[in-house]
Amino acid sequence: MRYEVYTDGSCKGNPGPGGIGAVVYKDGAVEHTFSQGYYKTTNNRMELRAIIEVLKKFGAVEVITVWTDSEYARKGITQWMEGWKQNGWKRRERGRLQPLKNADLWQELDALVDDHVVFKWIKGHSNEEGNETADALATRASARGPFMRDEGFA
């Protein structure tokens, strides 16, 4: 099975109420959509949480392509994560190791990613149906809920 998934996160204020949205395509047709609201969080946490929830639900398929409009998420996964892991989930800033923001989510994401997951970036608000739908779902969830607590958000 091949899945194409579009994910997005939204936050009203940063921090503030947030939401995630995802659209799951199987063989070119929408198979599933989902969203979830969170009481208090950040936009970056919602971008990561959307990807995590997709991989929890659909990560056991043969191939999954995850589309995100978040450079933070895409670069973190494809470029920065290995260095953070080597540094004990810390980032290097001005020659010193500093605590990594959202380390709880990065570690959870690391445990879910394997060779059958491909990450791609898409420009947000570029009129691509999957991205626009994921954005609308995340925005609506951040405004209306239902809300749950973002475990790990300080």
Side-chain angles (χ1 to χ4, degrees):
M1 281 183 249
R2 286 191 67 81
Y3 287 90
E4 297 271 335
V5 181
Y6 291 83
T7 64
D8 207 356
S10 175
C11 201
K12 302 299 178 200
N14 208 19
I20 63 170
V23 181
V24 180
Y25 290 87
K26 178 182 170 190
D27 300 323
V30 174
E31 179 176 277
H32 190 71
T33 64
F34 65 90
S35 62
Q36 176 63 57
Y38 294 83
Y39 290 111
K40 187 175 180 185
T41 190
T42 66
N43 191 70
N44 282 342
R45 288 185 67 80
M46 293 295 91
E47 295 286 359
L48 296 176
R49 176 66 66 201
I51 296 168
I52 288 167
E53 294 306 319
V54 161
L55 293 178
K56 281 181 177 178
K57 293 178 191 296
F58 297 95
V61 299
E62 288 181 30
V63 177
I64 184 168
T65 300
V66 178
W67 291 88
T68 178
D69 62 9
S70 168
E71 284 285 1
Y72 172 71
R74 185 187 63 86
K75 286 182 178 179
I77 294 163
T78 62
Q79 297 175 24
W80 306 329
M81 194 179 315
E82 284 305 314
W84 295 334
K85 286 169 42 174
Q86 291 173 4
N87 292 327
W89 294 101
K90 294 184 180 189
R91 62 183 173 83
R92 190 166 299 281
E93 184 178 305
R94 297 185 187 111
R96 296 183 180 203
L97 292 177
Q98 301 293 328
L100 177 65
K101 290 181 182 176
N102 307 315
D104 61 323
L105 297 180
W106 287 115
Q107 290 171 27
E108 189 173 359
L109 190 55
D110 181 52
L112 294 168
V113 172
D114 61 26
D115 292 341
H116 74 278
V117 182
V118 176
F119 291 93
K120 294 191 176 183
W121 182 79
I122 185 167
K123 184 176 179 7
H125 307 287
S126 58
N127 294 321
E128 202 298 323
E129 180 183 354
N131 179 256
E132 295 294 331
T133 303
D135 177 74
L137 289 166
T139 300
R140 184 175 30 232
S142 69
R144 297 187 213 158
F147 295 103
M148 61 187 294
R149 185 170 181 265
D150 179 8
E151 299 295 331
F153 179 71

